[in-house]
Structures are given as structure tokens and as C-alpha cells.
Amino acid sequence: DAGVTQSPTHLIKTRGQQVTLRCSPKSGHDTVSWYQQALGQGPQFIFQYYEEEERQRGNFPDRFSGHQFPNYSSELNVNALLLGDSALYLCASGTGQMNTEAFFGQGTRLTVV
Amino acid sequence: LAKTTQPISMDSYEGQEVNITCSHNNIATNDYITWYQQFPSQGPRFIIQGYKTKVTNEVASLFIPADRKSSTLSLPRVSLSDTAVYYCLVGVPYMDSNYQLIWGAGTKLIIKP
């Protein structure tokens, strides 16, 4: 079992650009959540996808959007990148909507310059 | 939104028992308390989850008092490899029936030889 896999592992973008991050959930999981973790801080919940729909959303602007595919994999898109978007982006998968017992990927380190 | 409160850091020695307490007001009636462990540049790893009283697994115990406004993670006989950041996770009511998952700031635990 490959667990939760995220790609790419590292990424450098320029302010104003757009970025797409990808996540494949653990086998048997149907829920995917995305988190942003700034250096030295705890993860901040972005949104959760279940049954290909956004079910919960944290306090993030509309520049952050996502998608879940029929195979349960997911994408996180961020438009008009800001320097402050530099962070570790974590994907977590689980079962059901609450998703408190989640399995996390290694994350994608995004640097905006 | 209610927030969780944990000590910013703790030190202990190999072989000791370590207790980390998290305070959480406005926890949802039917929600669980979950603790995660995170090493640098890795995604968080699930440790233990509970609803009330005491839960024990192969790595930790979780103590929850009757009012559920706090919880204590207990790590028996810690080793150097337990040096990590520990997060307390609870669900809180947000915008009617939608639940937002709130992470604490985390407790940086340093184990010394």
C-alpha cells in the first residue's frame, strides 16, 4: 500500500503565477483534505473533498480551489500566487466526512519568489 | 472560533513518562479529540483518538475528563525518537452544522539522553 502520495515534492513559482498540486489518497479512502502549513506553525485547514464535492472550507480566499476525481485523487489549485503562499501543502485522506483519523502525505513545499 | 491551547514546548529525558495537555472549549458534543505527531519536513502522523474517559493503544494513552474541555496525551517511557511536535485536534461548530477542524499550535517535545 503506497499510502498518501503527493506531487511534486518541491516547487518554486513566481508571484502572480498559478500552481496545481496533486494528491493520491491511501487505498480505500474516499475523503481528501488539504492543509497549508507555514514554517513553525500548525497546519491550517483549506478544504475537504468528499464524493467529488467540496464539503468543508477553511478561511482561505477563492484563489484556492480544488477538485476531486472519480478515483478519489485530488488537486489543489492556487491562482495569483503571493509571497505569503509559500508553505508546506499537506494532503490527508480518510473515510467519511469528518476525517479526523487521517493519513497524511509528505507534502509539497511551495516557494513563491 | 474556539482555539486549542497547548504548551509551546516541553523537555524530558529518555525513559520518562511525558504528559501533554490540550485545552479546548466549545468542543462539539459528538466530536472526537485526536492527537498527531509530526517530524520535520514530514506530514503529521496519527497517534490516538478518543471521545471520553481513557483510551490506550500501543504507543500512547489519552485521558479526557467528563467535561471534555481538555485532554492529556501520555507517552510512556519516551525515547530520543519521540522528539517531535505534537498536535491536538478537535472539531468545533462552525457555520451551523458544518464542522471545521482546528489544530492547536503544537507542542515541541524534546527528549534528552
Side-chain angles (χ1 to χ4, degrees):
Chain A
D1 184 1
V4 180
T5 58
Q6 292 186 243
S7 63
T9 55
H10 296 83
L11 199 56
I12 300 175
K13 289 286 190 177
T14 304
R15 276 182 300 175
Q17 285 189 313
Q18 178 266 344
V19 67
T20 297
L21 310 181
R22 296 176 176 82
C23 172
S24 293
K26 182 179 172 63
S27 177
H29 286 181
D30 56 9
T31 303
V32 173
S33 298
W34 287 93
Y35 293 83
Q36 179 194 67
Q37 186 173 28
L39 200 61
Q41 299 183 21
Q44 299 297 313
F45 175 72
I46 302 175
F47 42 54
Q48 179 188 82
Y49 277 85
Y50 174 67
E51 294 185 340
E52 301 181 50
E53 292 187 6
E54 182 182 293
R55 295 299 181 119
Q56 300 180 52
R57 189 178 181 93
N59 188 27
F60 279 80
D62 292 343
R63 298 187 298 109
F64 290 78
S65 63
H67 188 78
Q68 186 179 35
F69 300 94
N71 67 353
Y72 307 118
S73 67
S74 177
E75 289 182 349
L76 164 66
N77 301 292
V78 186
N79 295 321
L81 285 167
L82 304 173
L83 295 180
D85 295 331
S86 295
L88 181 67
Y89 287 85
L90 295 163
C91 169
S93 75
T95 55
Q97 283 187 261
M98 286 311 298
N99 203 26
T100 55
E101 184 173 351
F103 289 79
F104 282 80
Q106 295 286 75
T108 294
R109 172 70 65 185
L110 173 64
T111 302
V112 182
V113 297
Chain B
L1 294 174
K3 54 186 285 187
T4 58
T5 303
Q6 302 175 234
I8 295 174
S9 63
M10 294 180 67
D11 292 352
S12 190
Y13 292 90
E14 282 190 293
Q16 299 295 306
E17 177 185 80
V18 172
N19 296 309
I20 306 174
T21 297
C22 175
S23 298
H24 29 76
N25 294 315
N26 298 330
I27 183 172
T29 301
N30 59 347
D31 212 7
Y32 282 74
I33 299 157
T34 313
W35 285 77
Y36 284 82
Q37 175 193 56
Q38 187 176 29
F39 298 111
S41 299
Q42 294 188 24
R45 183 177 73 97
F46 173 87
I47 300 175
I48 196 167
Q49 183 179 78
Y51 179 77
K52 61 181 180 180
T53 62
K54 177 183 176 182
V55 178
T56 298
N57 62 21
E58 63 276 8
V59 298
S61 294
L62 180 59
F63 299 91
I64 305 170
D67 66 5
R68 301 195 340 117
K69 292 185 181 298
S70 66
S71 60
T72 298
L73 173 72
S74 180
L75 303 173
R77 300 179 298 281
V78 294
S79 64
L80 296 177
S81 63
D82 292 316
T83 294
V85 178
Y86 291 81
Y87 292 98
C88 168
L89 172 64
V90 300
V92 295
Y94 176 66
M95 295 183 65
D96 299 328
S97 61
N98 291 324
Y99 291 90
Q100 184 177 89
L101 304 178
I102 303 294
W103 290 63
T107 298
K108 185 174 184 179
L109 176 64
I110 298 174
I111 305 301
K112 303 175 182 178

